[in-house]
Amino acid sequence: MALRPEPTAPFHSVQYALRVLETVAKYTGGVSEAQIVRETGLPAGHLAHLLLMLRREEYVERTGDGAYVTGEALTLLSSGGDRKQALAAKLQRSLHTLRDRVGAAVYLSSYVDGEIRITQYADGPRTPKVNEWVDFRSAAHATALGKCLLTQLDQDDRRDHLSRHRTARLTSRTITNEKVLFSRLAAQPATVPVLDLQEYAVGTVCAAVPITAGRSVGSLGLSLPLEHAHRLREAADALNRHATPMLLSLTL
């Protein structure tokens, strides 16, 4: 499966975060922020934001004298134990936090063996998840998560997917013309959230952003009931900002 070459904004942030983590890991006794700046070449302001994120996600910890050391989350994901279980738990905690921050149900999805899979999600009484009235595997053309995954494939893989899952009309807003759909997917900026404005289900709006780690195609999405549609753009922007920790967890 070939991927589109455009990197996303979270991708760049993850590359910088990895440089910071590599530097911190070199100093078992702790390393100062000034030393991290010297070794990574990152601007002090940018580094400060990264360190806040890395501390919040427990990838680094700050000692009493202000130095930075490896955090518990990084140790768990890097240990020889059950990394898969540790990763799932870390992602679920992040999803719950993100759900509360954006006030919406949130989802992680991936494209595996030619099919869409919702791998994890976080919802609640005030943030209900989407009613899957049509199997998500057959609705990539209509969902924000699905379209976001399709944008990360090349033309041949998109055609292959749609040859197996036809563009059925699910609502009056569903794009069923494959030429129009392909044009929309090709024009979608890699750094802009993909939207679903009642294309999958009447009464629901959604957004998704890519979180591709290596050759693994994934997306992070949210859904809102139509009465909260006025919050979609703001929530989608927040989703984009918080994609970096998720991507970092998948990359480590």
Side-chain angles (χ1 to χ4, degrees):
M1 178 178 65
L3 306 185
R4 290 178 63 191
E6 299 94 328
T8 63
F11 173 86
H12 290 304
S13 295
V14 166
Q15 298 309 300
Y16 300 144
L18 290 174
R19 285 160 59 181
V20 172
L21 292 177
E22 288 173 359
T23 301
V24 172
K26 285 166 50 179
Y27 296 89
T28 55
V31 58
S32 68
E33 191 167 334
Q35 184 64 26
I36 298 174
V37 167
R38 284 192 290 271
E39 295 200 21
T40 63
L42 293 173
H46 190 172
L47 176 62
H49 287 296
L50 274 178
L51 286 172
L52 281 174
M53 182 272 287
L54 292 172
R55 289 178 65 191
R56 184 176 63 244
E57 297 296 321
E58 299 180 344
Y59 289 123
V60 300
E61 297 175 1
R62 196 172 187 182
T63 63
D65 60 359
Y68 290 91
V69 295
T70 297
E72 181 181 0
L74 183 61
T75 301
L76 286 173
L77 292 180
S78 304
S79 68
D82 191 343
R83 183 186 182 280
K84 185 176 181 180
Q85 183 176 349
L87 175 60
K90 179 71 175 69
L91 291 172
Q92 195 62 44
R93 289 195 298 274
S94 296
L95 285 172
H96 282 128
T97 299
L98 182 57
R99 175 201 60 193
D100 296 339
R101 284 178 179 163
V102 302
V106 290
Y107 315 78
L108 274 176
S109 68
S110 61
Y111 195 77
V112 181
D113 297 330
E115 299 293 350
I116 291 172
R117 296 182 184 175
I118 305 296
T119 54
Q120 290 177 254
Y121 68 89
D123 65 348
R126 296 183 180 180
T127 54
K129 65 183 179 69
V130 174
N131 174 33
E132 190 177 349
W133 75 283
V134 173
D135 193 322
F136 286 140
R137 292 176 297 180
S138 301
H141 64 293
T143 64
L145 284 171
K147 289 187 290 181
C148 187
L149 292 170
L150 292 177
T151 64
Q152 299 173 67
L153 308 182
D154 65 13
Q155 287 286 84
D156 289 340
D157 285 324
R158 290 176 192 166
R159 289 194 181 94
D160 172 72
H161 183 88
L162 294 179
S163 72
R164 292 179 288 107
H165 299 288
R166 296 297 182 180
T167 53
R169 184 174 298 281
L170 305 182
T171 76
S172 62
R173 294 175 176 265
T174 307
I175 300 173
T176 58
N177 184 300
E178 290 189 11
K179 184 176 181 180
V180 173
L181 178 63
F182 273 55
S183 177
R184 297 275 183 90
L185 294 175
Q188 175 70 35
T191 56
V192 176
V194 180
L195 302 181
D196 156 19
L197 305 177
Q198 300 190 88
E199 296 170 49
Y200 172 75
V202 174
T204 302
V205 294
C206 306
V209 296
I211 50 168
T212 301
R215 296 191 61 80
S216 174
V217 175
S219 64
L220 173 65
L222 63 82
S223 65
L224 288 167
L226 184 60
E227 56 265 32
H228 292 285
H230 61 282
R231 295 200 294 113
L232 182 61
R233 293 286 181 178
E234 181 181 356
D237 289 341
L239 190 74
N240 215 4
R241 292 194 301 272
H242 289 91
T244 297
M246 299 282 188
L247 182 53
L248 181 58
S249 296
L250 292 166
T251 304
L252 288 169

